[in-house]
Amino acid sequence: MNCGLQNMFYKYVWSANWWNQGREDTQVKHLELACCTNDSAAFQALVSSDQEDLLVTRSEDALLWKGGPIQIVRIKVETDAPCQVDIRLIGLIEGDSRVMISDVLLDEPFQYVRKRQIQPIWVELHADESAAAGQYEGKIKFYTHTMFEDEVLASELTFCLTIREQALPKPQDYSFYLDLWQHNCNIARKYDVSYWSDEHFMILDSFLHSLAQLGQKALTLVVSEEPWSGQRSFIDAEPSDLNEYSIIPVVRKKDGHFDYDFSRLDRYVELGEKHGIDRELEVFGLINIWQHDDEGYGKVVEDYPDAIRVRYFDEAAGTYQYIRQIGDLQAYIVALEQHFIAKGWIDRVRVVADEPADIALFEESLACLRDMAPSLKYKAAINHTEFLRKNIEGILDYVPVLDCAAEEFEQLAQLREDAKGTFAYYVCCSPEKPNTFLGSPSIESRVIPWLVEKLKLDGFLRWNYTVWPDKPLENLSYRPLIWKAGDTNFVYPGKSGKPLLSLRYKWLQRGIRDYEYMQLLKRNGKEAFVEEMLQHVFRFEHPRELAPSSGKKAEQLYSFKVDDYERLYKGK
């Protein structure tokens, strides 16, 4: 059996990481780690063998294997550091090219490992606010036995952890503006529970907790049916169910008046507040509804520019119907606005337009909404430069895709001077670099928050926290020519209603914490050092070089060396 250590950004790829990379003489035996308080330090341990093994992380599971005689390897971490230690076996996910890639942090405390396979193990040491600064030692021990043999210590690796005096803020107090959209109906389907049932809310509690640990700021509220038209699943030969439905039940009473039930919306907002996700209520389904008339995803309200689809139950008819009159639609929108006002949430509300393509249509829809509900504020995810140049009245928050932010950097800077809202950027199925696909270089998840600091923006948006295809753990690859594997998620549906985190989640979290540490340094008068770090990591002279049109390779834009980023914590 061979054992070794790697930094947290190691990625195991089945066809690329050959058996000889697991040889004993090629492995690192000691690591130097550092973190702040309210922070963590993580690394990966690697195990490989020329025979089949069963790796276990809990002593109670180190008994026998269902398949009979097999070497059992028990992993134990010992340290004098005042930290909670988390050990997770790392599972492989199949990518678009049918190659297995390490990504998912498993809940199972054991893993069967084929001979000559490298099995990575995630080890993370969490230092809370009470952890004393200092240097601490640690060991990773590997005990082996077969059947009823006594265990023997087969290998021992070491690490040193330096806990710095500085404390990062708690995640709910991060200044980094993170906005990962929630697709809550998809979550309900993966656990086979009814939409907005008590069981659904219990599951959402766990998923919001995982978002909160990243410092999430925005809560997603879908208030009409199918704002994304099922993510165009109708184009797929084997479509996945990606439909998202309204959180607000509507009933037309027998006397003809409409009743709007905001209790589910309120419950979700309060659940978000419980986890500190309380900066923004992003409302989808009121503007820039994706329309595909030929496939049936068209408008239902007569003489209205947008395709808002509000479903209601008609008590008199005993059937479900759709609001089709502008007056009834206006009454719904006004009621929603007034509810936000009554709850004291109106200043947090942002009606979101996702990639508006037809600017004239968008401006017409925006004018209608502003006339109906003047208290609402607007946010736009923008995927073409013309929208930035237009400077449309009424948009408070701008979130261009990285391509646009790069190509129109001066225009974006001017908009930021004139507007009072939040300015962030996003990546989705494009650009290819940097990105968080399963096949993306691991360091790119860390680069993303560093770019926020480099471009002097507020944060980062992505659409994809839980937009899973139907069986994400079995086949994450879905629509690969448009969405590369991993484009749809940062977490996976785990057992007992809890998410399984991914390496990409952890790498993004590290980048966000780097950003927070930069803000701490700047507050302590070390702006020059932060700028020096940015110059050291990034290679480009002007942001427009980040756009694909520049022809620059990723290696020409930012460093791929983990040590270049770790210099941030060494102060030199």
Side-chain angles (χ1 to χ4, degrees), residues 264-334:
R264 297 173 178 177
L265 182 150
D266 294 350
R267 185 175 178 181
Y268 190 57
V269 173
E270 290 160 5
L271 188 61
E273 291 175 338
K274 167 189 168 184
H275 292 284
I277 305 174
D278 57 8
R279 287 279 298 278
E280 179 183 334
L281 303 177
E282 52 187 4
V283 176
F284 290 91
L286 294 185
I287 196 167
N288 196 56
I289 312 304
W290 291 7
Q291 299 184 45
H292 305 278
D293 291 336
D294 291 344
E295 291 80 15
Y297 292 91
K299 296 193 295 183
V300 297
V301 179
E302 298 176 10
D303 300 321
Y304 190 78
D306 221 324
I308 302 174
R309 307 156 186 147
V310 179
R311 182 175 181 254
Y312 66 90
F313 180 74
D314 189 293
E315 285 188 342
T319 59
Y320 284 96
Q321 303 179 23
Y322 284 85
I323 287 178
R324 300 185 184 276
Q325 303 299 319
I326 290 180
D328 293 336
L329 176 63
Q330 179 174 0
Y332 172 68
I333 294 171
V334 169

Side-chain angles (χ1 to χ4, degrees), residues 345-398:
W345 298 337
I346 191 64
D347 290 336
R348 292 156 54 187
V349 172
R350 296 292 185 273
V351 176
V352 183
D354 185 9
E355 297 186 343
D358 187 328
I359 292 181
L361 178 63
F362 174 78
E363 288 183 306
E364 185 181 358
S365 300
L366 180 61
C368 290
L369 280 175
R370 295 183 73 193
D371 184 58
M372 292 176 179
S375 298
L376 296 178
K377 301 179 181 66
Y378 297 86
K379 171 178 174 177
I382 303 160
N383 66 342
H384 54 97
T385 57
E386 183 184 357
F387 197 106
L388 280 178
R389 300 191 199 105
K390 189 75 172 178
N391 193 11
I392 297 173
E393 184 178 357
I395 303 300
L396 188 65
D397 300 335
Y398 283 85

Side-chain angles (χ1 to χ4, degrees), residues 93-110:
I93 298 294
E94 188 176 76
D96 296 322
S97 59
R98 304 304 181 213
V99 173
M100 304 299 289
I101 302 173
S102 62
D103 191 50
V104 59
L105 303 184
L106 301 171
D107 276 342
E108 289 83 358
F110 55 86

